[in-house]
Amino acid sequence: MPSKDGSNQSYINAKRDRLPPGQHAVSKMVAMPPIQGKYPHIEKKDWNLRAWGEVKKEKIWSWDEFLKLPQKDYKIDFHCVTSWSKLDQEFTGIDFSDISKAVSPKSTALYVIFECYDGYTTNLSLKELKENIVFVAIKMDGRDIEDKFGGPARVVIPHLYAWKSAKSLKAIRFEKQDEPGFWETRGYHNHGDPWQEERYS
Ligand SMILES: Nc1nc2c(c(=O)[nH]1)N[C@H]1C(S)=C(S)[C@@H](COP(=O)(O)O)O[C@H]1N2
Ligand SMILES: [Mo]
């Protein structure tokens, strides 16, 4: 049986297989520094999430309304481009597919831009979001998400580098055209697959 301290080789190998090239496992999530000097703090009563753009019915959820969408527990691996990976990170959240369903994207909606309370943005194709596990987390390790980890609600996209996982989510904008976000316009790869080491462009 694998031992918890990692001394057992099969345990180490099992973990290694889950680590993309150039990544090492850490025991806890690392809060990346805020882009605005401090992490945004949003009270749940002041929070809302807007889904808009190329959709048939735009929506704005209050916190209480958002919690009524189907919630699921997730355990995922999270890979940051700065080389750390957190394996088996637990979240509770709402599937992107359920959010998307609620607004019915038009056939012209090909891209999605996540917009955050600190002004951060990141971009993906709608196809990419549909074909993978993507969710908006409302709990981390069974607790409310701390400001530094992007509370009250953040995106999690396990199969891409962590910069695609927008923290402190404010809006989801559906677009006809792609629109590179904060890091994508500062030299990061537009796609960001850790298994392909799509780090920089
Ligand atoms: N709103 C917002 N989301 C963000 C960022 C940010 O600065 N602001 N940084 C991104 C980057 S570069 C990374 S690596 C991850 C880090 O997530 P963590 O702090 O929970 O590890 O959040 C991403 N989401
Ligand atoms: Mo990052």
Side-chain angles (χ1 to χ4, degrees), residues 30-32 35 80 84 116 118 120 149 154 162 165 167 183:
V30 179
M32 298 308 277
I35 53 169
C80 177
W84 60 268
C116 306
D118 58 357
Y120 186 84
F149 290 120
R154 72 169 298 169
S165 291
K167 305 202 279 190
W183 283 119

Side-chain angles (χ1 to χ4, degrees), residues 1-20:
M1 275 304 284
S3 67
K4 267 199 183 132
D5 63 12
S7 60
N8 181 296
Q9 197 59 35
S10 70
Y11 180 76
I12 295 170
N13 287 343
K15 288 219 155 180
R16 192 173 289 152
D17 291 342
R18 287 164 60 189
L19 283 177

